[in-house]
Amino acid sequence: MRAYMDGAKLRSANLQKIELYRAQLQAADLSNANLIGAQLGRTNLSGAKLLGANIKYANLARADLRSASVEGADFTSAYFFRTRLEGLDLSAAKGLSQVQLDLACGDTKTTLPAGLKPGQQWPCH
């Protein structure tokens, strides 16, 4: 069963290792949430607030982060296979690596932190 939690107020929630595959979290407020090791594959996080969220080691494979707010979010070792980053401002996100971006889907409007470059397959088809 899929979770439908569009617009949910989950600020500072402890969601460590939660399994929310294919969940709908559009425009949800997950600011400062603990999402360490969360399973968020194919989850719709478009327009979500992830400000300062701890997203280390999370599975974001095929998740949609377009239009999300990710300033201060920590993505250290998060899995980004085909993660939708088109138009996303990642300039103030933490813990991103070139390997993650090479797996993800971004475009010319995706803003990256200093020292990182767009993935070789951008834009994804």
Side-chain angles (χ1 to χ4, degrees):
M1 183 199 278
R2 296 181 187 170
Y4 292 90
M5 301 187 302
D6 291 341
K9 307 292 186 223
L10 298 167
R11 178 179 280 271
S12 300
N14 183 5
L15 302 172
Q16 186 170 357
K17 296 184 179 179
I18 195 164
E19 294 185 12
L20 288 173
Y21 294 103
R22 297 180 182 257
Q24 295 294 317
L25 286 163
Q26 284 182 287
D29 186 356
L30 292 154
S31 299
N32 299 307
N34 177 359
L35 292 161
I36 295 173
Q39 298 299 314
L40 301 169
R42 296 184 185 261
T43 293
N44 186 345
L45 290 159
S46 61
K49 291 181 184 175
L50 294 163
L51 306 168
N54 191 345
I55 313 172
K56 294 177 182 176
Y57 307 103
N59 175 9
L60 293 165
R62 299 184 187 271
D64 188 347
L65 292 172
R66 293 175 293 174
S67 302
S69 302
V70 297
E71 184 177 336
D74 190 344
F75 291 103
T76 301
S77 297
Y79 186 56
F80 270 52
F81 179 74
R82 294 267 189 208
T83 303
R84 305 290 305 268
L85 306 176
E86 293 96 333
L88 191 61
D89 182 357
L90 293 163
S91 61
K94 301 175 187 175
L96 286 172
S97 70
Q98 191 61 53
V99 171
Q100 289 169 308
L101 297 176
D102 288 342
L103 289 172
C105 295
D107 62 12
T108 58
K109 295 179 182 175
T110 305
T111 308
L112 301 174
L116 296 176
K117 59 185 179 183
Q120 295 176 1
Q121 79 286 354
W122 290 16
C124 296
H125 301 288

